Amino acid sequence: MLLWPRAKCLLLAAFSLLSAVSWAQNLPAENPDKRDIAMQYDADVIVVGAGFAGLAAADELKNQGLSVLLLEARDRIGGRAHTVYDGEQAIEMGANWLHGQDNNPLVRLAEEQGIGLSPVTQWSGAVVYDEFGEQIEDAQSQLQRWDTVVEDYVEQYLEREPNASIQMLMDDAQKSGDLGFVSDELHSSFINFVFEQDWSADAADLSVQAAEDGKDYLGGDPMPLRGFRPMLQQLSKNIRVRLGHQVVALEQSANAVDVIVNHQGQEQTLRTKRALLTVPVSILQAGNIRFNPQLSARKREAINVIGIGQLNKVWLKFPEVFWDDNHAILRVSPEKGRFSLWVNIHAISGEPYLLALSTAANLEAGSDAEIVEEAMLGLRGIYGDDIPEPSKNYISRWHNDPFSMGAYSYLRQGGRPEHRDILAEPEGRIHFAGEASHRDFPSTVHGAYLSGLREAAKITVELKPFSESKTPAEQEAKKENQE
């Protein structure tokens, strides 16, 4: 079923040694030039980007005995996971949920680190209001019926029109009369709830293959009680991190990668045996990092068909709770995606917060005061003019962030899941990780985390003699031999 939100879940365990060895056998031979012996490296591996992908990779590479230097353009670690605090309430400006508890490696990591998790968010019990503030009593049954029809159309389009957009499919289904039981306004809202909120993308630009992009884990979506920050701090504990270091170029030679860095307006060059790039795909699309030699045509195509969407968060704290008990509150908005989905944080953490998720493209153009006022107009349309004003607000602006330029990845029209595999392919001594490069679990913290482990396994096999490797597969093999 397509019923929203797609349980975007998470990841498999790290690469086995066998798969990593198989991959490494295809590498070109090292240059035997004697000058390599005397070459000075700043680290065995330089990791670019201190989000979950970069930190997971750096932590694993260090555990494997390699020297690692992690470069981050921002003045903080975390990338698109950014926690601020209001007392006991963790305010997540970016990543918020662990999607799917069952077999989720980040859930296991949280348990190992003693990080508690909230109750799961009950998305399926959402209350739905129309554009006039009246509750739509049968909205859930309409959504289930709508979902069944759309699922049939998705199967047809994947077979005969795999390069179409979600909007093309929806227009076809609507013109056929198969969705005649739902109003145009509710139909538009369902598209937003099911697809656009899930992928932070407009349906007109979203590939129909997004319906089968990635895998799902069961178990519901909890939040880390103190946010993702403690988890990130644990991962970075013993890593050499340089903040405020923006990588602007990567230059490969026979035996090294020169990493050109801008720090406080001054460029410097660092040398490494392998570079791991974990920046968002939007940074690559914008050409903010130069490559010499340039990336392959195959890689450039993959970069361009993977989009990065706009999804922002508006946290509002109130002196009292006046809204429904349901975990999710949906509103048919006059402008699709603009203050149409609210999450009842009070039902999850006990704190009097409402969280709006907005995919509206022009939201960031407004001032904080203008955004809050517009949000309040929508809430007054549901709950009346007498509701209190918020005492605090926190608003994200990921599209205007120069180091993310968007929220998370999606497949553009014409894009295929295989493009994520191509994005993950190394180019010489440069490796690539990040949520956009994980075919099974894109657009999640979990996908980012495991993509980092994936590349750490590849790099370990390249740089260390197999007899010295400490990969999980080898540890198991050694244990069996000892027994």
Side-chain angles (χ1 to χ4, degrees):
M1 295 289 285
L2 297 170
L3 286 176
W4 81 280
R6 187 173 56 87
K8 286 181 173 169
C9 38
L10 188 344
L11 315 289
L12 308 169
F15 261 40
S16 68
L17 178 66
L18 180 61
S19 63
V21 169
S22 173
W23 180 89
Q25 287 172 342
N26 295 320
L27 283 175
E30 295 285 325
N31 189 328
D33 194 316
K34 291 184 179 179
R35 287 173 297 177
D36 186 41
I37 298 172
M39 185 172 285
Q40 297 296 309
Y41 297 100
D42 292 280
D44 291 329
V45 186
I46 289 180
V47 178
V48 182
F52 266 98
L55 288 169
D59 181 59
E60 178 61 18
L61 289 164
K62 189 174 186 301
N63 289 340
Q64 297 299 329
L66 295 167
S67 63
V68 182
L69 175 60
L70 198 157
L71 304 176
E72 169 56 51
R74 291 183 173 90
D75 60 0
R76 61 170 179 83
I77 63 171
R80 288 169 283 169
H82 180 36
T83 313
V84 297
Y85 294 100
D86 175 30
E88 291 301 308
Q89 179 63 51
I91 308 294
E92 293 289 18
M93 304 305 290
N96 217 122
W97 284 272
L98 292 167
H99 293 286
Q101 289 190 101
D102 297 352
N103 301 314
N104 186 326
L106 282 189
V107 170
R108 291 197 297 271
L109 185 64
E111 291 171 352
E112 290 169 8
Q113 295 179 350
I115 296 171
L117 301 179
S118 75
V120 299
T121 302
Q122 302 295 331
W123 301 107
S124 60
V127 59
V128 183
Y129 291 91
D130 66 17
E131 60 269 41
F132 306 107
E134 297 295 326
Q135 185 174 344
I136 305 174
E137 299 289 349
D138 64 342
Q140 288 295 333
S141 62
Q142 287 193 61
L143 178 56
Q144 289 174 358
R145 188 176 170 190
W146 180 93
D147 180 76
T148 300
V149 173
V150 170
E151 192 171 53
D152 288 341
Y153 272 82
V154 166
E155 290 177 3
Q156 295 173 33
Y157 265 72
L158 286 172
E159 184 174 343
R160 72 171 195 260
E161 296 284 350
N163 293 322
S165 71
I166 289 293
Q167 191 63 58
M168 292 166 66
L169 176 155
M170 292 298 173
D171 291 345
D172 189 6
Q174 194 172 28
K175 288 175 185 175
S176 71
D178 291 340
L179 294 174
F181 57 88
V182 65
S183 70
D184 290 350
E185 293 78 14
L186 196 55
H187 171 64
S188 179
S189 293
F190 284 169
I191 294 172
N192 183 252
F193 300 153
V194 174
F195 290 103
E196 295 177 328
Q197 292 277 356
D198 211 21
W199 291 107
S200 72
D202 191 285
D205 192 41
L206 183 62
S207 170
V208 70
Q209 298 205 32
E212 292 195 344
D213 189 17
K215 296 181 179 179
D216 293 345
Y217 275 161
L218 303 176
D221 303 343
M223 306 175 189
L225 284 176
R226 293 294 290 161
F228 282 108
R229 188 193 289 185
M231 205 177 294
L232 290 161
Q233 290 173 331
Q234 284 290 328
L235 283 173
S236 66
K237 218 170 178 183
N238 300 307
I239 305 301
R240 191 164 45 129
V241 181
R242 293 184 185 174
L243 300 176
H245 283 64
Q246 182 181 3
V247 171
V248 296
L250 295 173
E251 298 181 353
Q252 292 197 68
S253 62
N255 293 305
V257 181
D258 285 344
V259 181
I260 317 301
V261 180
N262 185 316
H263 176 57
Q264 296 181 344
Q266 300 293 318
E267 284 198 357
Q268 63 183 109
T269 300
L270 302 170
R271 180 159 288 178
T272 184
K273 297 175 183 177
R274 295 291 185 275
L276 172 56
L277 202 56
T278 72
V279 299
V281 69
S282 50
I283 302 302
L284 302 179
Q285 291 168 355
N288 290 355
I289 298 176
R290 305 185 307 273
F291 294 88
N292 184 21
Q294 72 171 340
L295 298 176
S296 66
R298 172 183 172 87
K299 177 76 76 177
R300 297 197 306 272
E301 179 191 13
I303 288 169
N304 288 327
V305 297
I306 298 174
I308 187 160
Q310 296 192 41
L311 186 140
N312 280 299
K313 305 169 92 173
V314 179
W315 290 78
L316 299 180
K317 185 178 185 178
F318 292 92
E320 62 186 47
V321 176
F322 56 81
W323 51 87
D324 295 273
D325 293 334
N326 309 64
H327 283 201
I329 302 164
L330 308 182
R331 170 176 168 263
V332 177
S333 173
E335 182 181 343
K336 186 174 61 172
R338 200 170 183 97
F339 298 109
S340 56
L341 170 57
W342 292 87
V343 181
N344 178 6
I345 298 298
H346 179 262
I348 298 168
S349 73
E351 295 294 324
Y353 268 98
L354 279 174
L355 166 61
L357 303 177
S358 174
T359 57
N362 59 351
L363 180 75
E364 296 184 25
S367 67
D368 284 5
E370 289 170 337
I371 291 171
V372 170
E373 179 55 29
E374 183 182 349
M376 289 302 297
L377 283 173
L379 289 173
R380 291 187 193 107
I382 298 173
Y383 298 110
D385 293 336
D386 295 332
I387 62 174
E389 291 293 323
S391 58
K392 291 184 180 180
N393 67 81
Y394 300 85
I395 301 170
S396 70
R397 285 179 165 82
W398 289 107
H399 182 68
N400 288 335
D401 184 323
F403 304 124
S404 64
M405 302 175 70
Y408 48 83
S409 69
Y410 66 94
L411 290 179
R412 285 177 167 158
Q413 184 179 354
R416 306 183 306 278
E418 305 92 83
H419 284 115
R420 296 191 184 276
D421 293 334
I422 297 170
L423 182 61
E425 294 173 357
E427 298 248 328
R429 293 170 174 268
I430 301 174
H431 289 249
F432 296 81
E435 54 85 9
S437 76
H438 203 286
R439 179 168 177 166
D440 286 344
F441 304 100
S443 311
T444 64
V445 179
H446 326 86
Y449 175 79
L450 206 59
S451 75
L453 296 183
R454 177 195 69 211
E455 296 310 305
K458 292 179 185 178
I459 292 169
T460 298
V461 171
E462 289 179 46
L463 294 183
K464 295 193 66 178
F466 297 154
S467 60
E468 298 178 21
S469 181
K470 305 174 190 172
T471 63
E474 275 205 322
Q475 291 173 354
E476 288 300 315
K478 184 178 179 181
K479 202 181 294 181
E480 289 177 11
N481 289 335
Q482 289 173 342
E483 292 173 353

